[in-house]
Amino acid sequence: MDTAEIRRRFLAHFENAGHTVVPSAPLLLDDPNLLFVNAGMVPFKPYFLGQETPPWPTATSVQKCVRTLDIEEVGKTTRHGTFFQMNGNFSFGDYFKEGAITHAWRLITGSINDGGLGIDADTIWVTVLHSDQESREIWKRVAGLPDERIQDRGLLDNYWHMGVPGPGGPCSEIYVDRGPEFGPDGGPVVDEDRFLEIWNLVFMQEEITDVLAKDRFEVVGALPHQNIDTGMGLERVAYLLQDKRNLYEIDEVYPVIETASQISGRTYGRDHADDVRFRVIADHVRSGLMLMGDGVTPGNEARGYVLRRLLRRAVRSMRLLGFEDPALPLLLPVSLERMKASYPELEADFPRIEQVAYAEEEAFRQTLGKGTQIFEGAAAAVKQQGGSGLSGDAAFTLHDTYGFPIDLTLEMASEQGLSVDEDGFRALMAEQRSRAKADAKSKKGGHADTAVYRAALDAGGPTDWLAYSTLTTESRVLALIAGGRTVPAIGAGSVGEVVLDRTPFYAESGGQNADAGHLQWDGGRAEVLDVQRPVRGLVVHQVRVLDGELTVESPLEAAVDPEWRLGARQAHSGTHVVHAALREVLGPTALQSGSYNRPGYLRLDYGWSGALSPDQLRGVEEASNRALRADLPVTAQTMSLPEAREWGALALFGETYGEDVRVVEIGGPWSRELCGGTHVDRSSQIGTVVITSDGSVGSGNRRVEALVGIEGFQYLAKERDVVRQLTDLLKAKPDDVPSRVQDLMERLRAAEKAAERIKAAELLAGAGDLAHGAVDVGGVAFVGARLDGVGGGDLRTLALDVRGRIPADRPAVVALVGVVDDKPAVVVAVNQAGRDRGLSANTLVRAAGEQIGGRGGGKDDVAQGGGTDPAGAEAAVAAVEAALRP
């Protein structure tokens, strides 16, 4: 039975039992605690935690999941996979243990003809929590299982919770006996290779606290509503029903192995090391396909780094199999062919996906060429010195300078029998991140405790949000929050958060910045600094009280700054216009992958490899402004998500959408996107679109920035003023400015070269005087001097020239310190006679460097350095002279 058919049967079974079929959430679900969705119940967490009211009593889904902790284990075992699919059925206060067990039993043992999975009932074993006798009795009654096939287990195996205070409960796991060829008899407590777990039924019935470990917590009491959360591993059921030994051999994965085998000339199943590589390729190609399908692009941070790592491990595994040509163009379409039955959107989006993937492979091929040489040189040096491991500094250089991921360095080092100082590498990475990243605490919507917001929502209900229809509302204060807790009042000069019963303020979302404005009440006024939605349904305003005191239950007027809102509407509509223009000029694969807009400004990330030519950029800008001149109507309407997709509406990757979505159109199908932002009424109201930059933000991803409205006109006015000033200075017409500037540049370069020749002649002329002034220090001819205005290459050239003017048979040392713009530099040169005497410029320059607040280095014949203290220049010269004295 194909995997897609198992998936279809699962959903049909529960839909026929009255469950609502919920589409899989994107892998990039907006959860600050998760990199990717890693379990089937993740999209339902707000319902289980009581943060939101579930829209249905029962639901079923097949959820896409990615787990990244086991990437290194992929291929080494037959169980670890990065991407997997979790079938689940959920009850929110509806049926409980007996319902869950009955539904599961009927599906897995139901006949193929009746829509079941046809698993032999005599092969099924289950486990229950040792104290859960109720579940044992239900299994006996519903399924007729004998006691010996119902095994007790402890909290570690058969109790579920999230690792934090909240819901918990016992679970019952379903196993299938694969037969004696897979291991000893005795049930899952004896061998979990022979007895394969396919389904876990979680019975949420308790509230727990003081969670210290999987089996260490305190039970507070019963939950107000008993819930069901189940998870059936789709790939596991597939390899069971397809009579395969592992998940890599099922119909959705194995075709990639077959193709890899054909093009590499290696055979799967003959060599363990090769088999591991084949499995890595098959898993990572499929996982990469699914991640790119949900909008992830390769990068050096977070989700992008995971994707980059997966694709590069797959490519390198092909190289280790002996295939050095581009591999992804041959493998990725094979994976698409197997996955599109369950995820047809992959086929529609494949032009973008393959563009991203193939650009990443090409970039990695270049990285491999450069980085491998550096790695092999470093490894050879370690072995030559009798060492056994690469330093953290070497690993960091490979990563930072040559783009070599640390896991690739680890793999290559292991292949050569070397270790890597991972702690040293991690420390250097941490230093780099601490220098580069902004304070994470300033990021909005992080891991804050939402309990205070949930309490406000429960007390006052959802905020009546009126941002689409008005700029002012008469409102009432429902709650005030400061320091993470509710307070009765916020005084003048203080910053706090305000929950209103209704508001006209747009809360930051979908790339659009929050509105600015004021709250005004009898005797007081507050400035609105930010607006967020910490929990669904609740709008929270961060304010600074300017006058008076704001108290709970105060009536007030909430007013959005109309100029701010106008600029925001222009920028958000401008983002849609630029997106449509990009697709018009570059083609349908130039899809938006992220955006940000604030009044007058927009930036848009889009999938594309290679820089845009000036003609392409002009084309995008022209297409945008043609749309503005056409005065296209801007409309919004609400519909179901399937209807929107059928209508051709584009969805922003990584955003989470409800069952009903808002579709914004500009000029009908020319621009049709899912969007919750505020927009102008007609395109001409955007004013103008001025593209200010276009650059790369990662492999296969670019970012365009633009100004709109009055900010766009101001930008153009500044450029006009610059041109006017140039025309006045050059006494030229505007069209003649570029050629006149080019002529001036050429003349300037010629003058600079002439000045350099004169300066060099002056330096060489002074070299004779310096050499003639050499003094004898311990039998060494020493020349030392401070030279103001001489630095860099000139200082080195002069030192070498002075050294060359001293008789070759006389040991000589030249130490010159140059100072330019209060920055000292030092050069020490030693002739061959001096080196024969044991003198080293590398040693002497360090003594000089200490005196100018710096350091230096080089070879025995010439070394140089720099510092920060020009006042130490004379002392630096004296230090070298002192080092020569016997």
Side-chain angles (χ1 to χ4, degrees):
M1 188 182 297
D2 285 352
T3 305
E5 175 63 13
I6 299 169
R7 179 182 187 273
R8 188 198 66 76
R9 286 173 179 254
F10 182 90
L11 293 175
H13 173 78
F14 283 101
E15 185 176 24
N16 292 336
H19 294 61
T20 298
V21 176
V22 180
S24 173
L27 288 165
L28 285 68
L29 188 68
D30 186 17
D31 186 322
N33 299 300
L34 294 175
L35 201 60
F36 302 108
V37 172
N38 62 358
M41 60 79 63
V42 167
F44 303 96
K45 275 171 58 177
Y47 310 135
F48 290 131
L49 291 171
Q51 297 172 350
E52 298 176 20
T53 301
W56 350 261
T58 60
T60 185
S61 71
V62 177
Q63 176 61 46
K64 299 178 288 188
C65 302
V66 164
R67 290 184 183 168
T68 59
L69 295 178
D70 296 332
I71 287 179
E72 290 84 0
E73 298 304 315
V74 169
K76 297 178 183 177
T77 74
T78 58
R79 290 190 177 188
H80 291 94
T82 312
F83 171 81
F84 61 96
Q85 300 159 88
M86 189 60 72
N87 300 353
N89 59 286
F90 310 92
S91 168
F92 309 103
D94 194 83
Y95 62 81
F96 198 48
K97 291 182 181 179
E98 184 155 353
I101 290 172
T102 301
H103 285 312
W105 182 254
R106 288 177 179 171
L107 175 62
I108 60 179
T109 62
S111 71
I112 300 293
N113 292 337
D114 292 336
L117 299 181
I119 298 175
D120 184 354
D122 291 337
T123 65
I124 296 174
W125 293 59
V126 300
T127 61
V128 297
L129 184 66
H130 56 72
S131 60
D132 187 12
Q133 291 305 305
E134 179 186 6
S135 293
R136 172 180 284 275
E137 292 303 317
I138 294 173
W139 276 113
K140 291 166 67 176
R141 182 173 67 255
V142 170
L145 288 179
D147 278 320
E148 60 269 19
R149 299 218 319 263
I150 307 172
Q151 297 187 319
D152 290 341
R153 279 190 157 176
L155 293 170
L156 281 175
D157 294 299
N158 277 66
Y159 193 92
W160 176 92
H161 57 74
M162 295 185 189
V164 296
C171 55
S172 181
E173 297 173 324
I174 303 173
Y175 294 79
V176 175
D177 182 0
R178 296 199 288 166
E181 67 269 28
F182 289 94
D185 201 354
V189 298
V190 173
D191 190 321
E192 289 198 8
D193 283 327
R194 171 174 173 172
F195 298 88
L196 180 70
E197 180 197 341
I198 62 167
W199 206 340
N200 187 17
L201 314 179
V202 175
F203 311 129
M204 292 189 201
Q205 61 188 48
E206 299 165 338
E207 182 179 355
I208 64 171
T209 188
D210 296 335
V211 181
L212 301 177
K214 183 76 164 58
D215 58 344
R216 295 176 61 195
F217 53 85
E218 294 294 328
V219 176
V220 176
L223 290 172
H225 301 289
Q226 295 176 328
N227 302 318
I228 289 293
D229 159 29
T230 83
M232 170 194 269
L234 181 54
E235 283 78 8
R236 285 198 179 189
V237 176
Y239 75 76
L240 180 72
L241 295 185
Q242 293 172 21
D243 196 25
K244 303 298 182 183
R245 298 186 69 88
N246 57 65
L247 66 88
Y248 302 103
E249 297 175 7
I250 66 173
D251 63 304
E252 286 190 348
V253 182
Y254 190 69
V256 174
I257 291 180
E258 285 184 310
T259 303
S261 176
Q262 292 167 4
I263 63 178
S264 68
R266 305 281 184 94
T267 302
Y268 180 71
R270 287 188 180 176
D271 178 82
H272 175 70
D274 279 356
D275 286 354
V276 169
R277 291 162 186 153
F278 279 121
R279 292 169 184 162
V280 166
I281 293 162
D283 173 89
H284 288 5
V285 167
R286 184 171 79 137
S287 301
L289 170 69
M290 301 308 295
L291 286 170
M292 288 183 288
D294 274 357
V296 183
T297 55
N300 291 327
E301 295 290 337
R303 293 162 171 164
Y305 179 69
V306 171
L307 174 59
R308 170 162 286 170
R309 187 177 175 192
L310 292 172
L311 294 178
R312 293 189 171 194
R313 277 172 58 91
V315 170
R316 185 164 183 272
S317 294
M318 284 301 301
R319 292 172 71 92
L320 292 174
L321 290 173
F323 187 80
E324 297 194 359
D325 292 332
L328 292 182
L330 302 174
L331 301 175
L332 203 62
V334 176
S335 188
L336 168 70
E337 195 63 30
R338 300 310 306 170
M339 298 305 296
K340 70 181 184 181
S342 296
Y343 306 98
E345 65 273 13
L346 289 172
E347 187 170 32
D349 201 28
F350 195 65
R352 177 191 62 82
I353 294 171
E354 64 179 347
Q355 185 180 66
V356 170
Y358 304 161
E360 177 62 21
E361 178 171 17
E362 180 56 34
F364 183 51
R365 285 165 59 82
Q366 295 177 12
T367 292
L368 274 176
K370 298 175 184 176
T372 300
Q373 293 179 358
I374 303 300
F375 170 83
E376 289 175 349
V382 169
K383 291 180 177 179
Q384 212 168 32
Q385 295 168 9
S388 61
L390 282 178
S391 67
D393 186 60
F396 180 76
T397 300
L398 280 165
H399 170 86
D400 195 49
T401 306
Y402 301 99
F404 243 45
I406 182 60
D407 59 289
L408 183 54
T409 301
L410 290 169
E411 286 182 13
M412 293 177 67
S414 176
E415 290 165 6
Q416 297 211 21
L418 297 174
S419 63
V420 177
D421 178 11
E422 288 188 70
D423 291 340
F425 170 81
R426 306 288 178 199
L428 290 168
M429 285 294 293
E431 288 178 16
Q432 184 191 62
R433 288 195 185 102
S434 65
R435 290 192 301 266
K437 71 180 181 180
D439 185 5
K441 293 181 180 179
S442 66
K443 186 178 180 181
K444 299 168 184 171
H447 297 258
D449 184 0
T450 60
V452 66
Y453 303 115
R454 294 201 304 271
L457 180 63
D458 292 341
T463 305
D464 187 8
W465 187 63
L466 303 171
Y468 294 146
S469 58
T470 184
L471 294 179
T472 61
T473 58
E474 295 299 323
S475 306
R476 181 169 56 89
V477 177
L478 297 181
L480 297 172
I481 300 166
R485 59 187 180 85
T486 57
V487 295
I490 303 175
S494 298
V495 173
E497 293 177 303
V498 182
V499 178
L500 302 174
D501 60 343
R502 66 178 60 89
T503 182
F505 283 86
Y506 183 84
E508 179 182 5
S509 65
Q512 180 175 329
N513 225 356
D515 277 335
H518 291 86
L519 306 180
Q520 192 143 353
W521 63 96
D522 187 16
R525 191 165 180 264
E527 174 188 11
V528 176
L529 306 174
D530 191 18
V531 189
Q532 296 290 323
R533 294 178 184 268
V535 295
R536 188 176 298 176
L538 192 74
V539 177
V540 177
H541 312 73
Q542 185 188 61
V543 305
R544 177 185 290 111
V545 177
L546 304 177
D547 301 297
E549 183 179 60
L550 184 57
T551 59
V552 175
E553 295 297 329
S554 293
L556 52 77
E557 180 187 68
V560 176
D561 181 338
E563 286 298 313
W564 180 279
R565 173 65 72 81
L566 174 60
R569 293 167 66 204
Q570 290 174 319
H572 206 149
S573 296
T575 303
H576 287 222
V577 165
V578 171
H579 186 202
L582 279 165
R583 289 166 56 76
E584 180 180 314
V585 173
L586 302 179
T589 61
L591 278 172
Q592 178 180 341
S593 58
S595 68
Y596 170 75
N597 51 77
R598 63 173 186 264
Y601 166 85
L602 69 89
R603 73 167 185 246
L604 185 147
D605 295 347
Y606 62 100
W608 195 255
S609 57
L612 269 61
S613 68
D615 286 344
Q616 286 174 318
L617 273 178
R618 278 194 297 271
V620 173
E621 191 174 63
E622 183 178 332
S624 299
N625 284 292
R626 278 203 314 267
L628 271 56
R629 187 176 66 178
D631 195 28
L632 302 173
V634 181
T635 60
Q637 53 185 304
T638 301
M639 62 186 69
S640 71
L641 183 57
E643 287 174 332
R645 292 193 184 281
E646 186 177 347
W647 208 32
L650 299 175
L652 177 61
F653 295 119
E655 286 290 304
T656 303
Y657 301 102
E659 291 196 355
D660 290 330
V661 295
R662 182 170 178 259
V663 179
V664 173
E665 277 193 331
I666 301 179
W670 185 73
S671 172
R672 187 177 282 161
E673 299 188 31
L674 272 61
C675 180
T678 60
H679 289 271
V680 297
D681 298 319
R682 302 192 70 86
S683 62
S684 61
Q685 294 170 353
I686 297 170
T688 189
V689 172
V690 181
I691 294 178
T692 57
S693 72
D694 174 74
S696 173
V697 287
S699 177
N701 212 32
R702 298 191 67 77
R703 172 174 294 169
V704 64
E705 294 180 279
L707 297 174
V708 299
I710 193 68
E711 285 79 4
F713 285 113
Q714 290 171 344
Y715 180 88
L716 293 174
K718 287 180 181 178
E719 287 200 332
R720 179 194 60 199
D721 290 343
V722 170
V723 173
R724 180 182 295 137
Q725 292 173 38
L726 287 172
T727 58
D728 290 344
L729 288 170
L730 298 172
K731 301 291 190 270
K733 295 178 180 180
D735 289 346
D736 295 333
V737 167
S739 60
R740 291 292 300 275
V741 170
Q742 183 178 0
D743 179 60
L744 285 173
M745 291 295 294
E746 290 175 355
R747 290 164 62 185
L748 178 60
R749 281 193 289 268
E752 287 175 342
K753 289 181 180 179
E756 288 174 0
R757 287 193 294 271
I758 293 171
K759 185 176 180 181
E762 291 175 346
L763 285 172
L764 293 177
D769 293 337
L770 287 171
H772 183 71
V775 297
D776 187 279
V777 180
V780 175
F782 174 68
V783 176
R786 167 177 174 154
L787 302 172
D788 290 320
V790 181
D794 290 338
L795 193 67
R796 183 185 179 95
T797 299
L798 182 59
L800 294 177
D801 190 65
V802 171
R803 184 186 67 180
R805 293 172 182 265
I806 297 174
D809 59 349
R810 184 182 181 189
V813 172
V814 178
L816 303 180
V817 180
V819 180
V820 178
D821 296 331
D822 286 334
K823 293 181 180 179
V826 59
V827 174
V828 176
V830 180
N831 67 1
Q832 184 62 52
R835 297 197 298 277
D836 291 342
R837 189 165 171 169
L839 299 175
S840 168
N842 185 42
T843 301
L844 296 171
V845 80
R846 291 176 187 169
E850 291 176 0
Q851 304 301 317
I852 56 175
R855 57 184 180 179
K859 298 181 179 180
D860 289 341
D861 62 333
V862 61
Q864 62 191 64
T868 58
D869 182 12
E874 288 82 1
V877 173
V880 175
E881 182 177 356
L884 298 177
R885 297 189 184 282

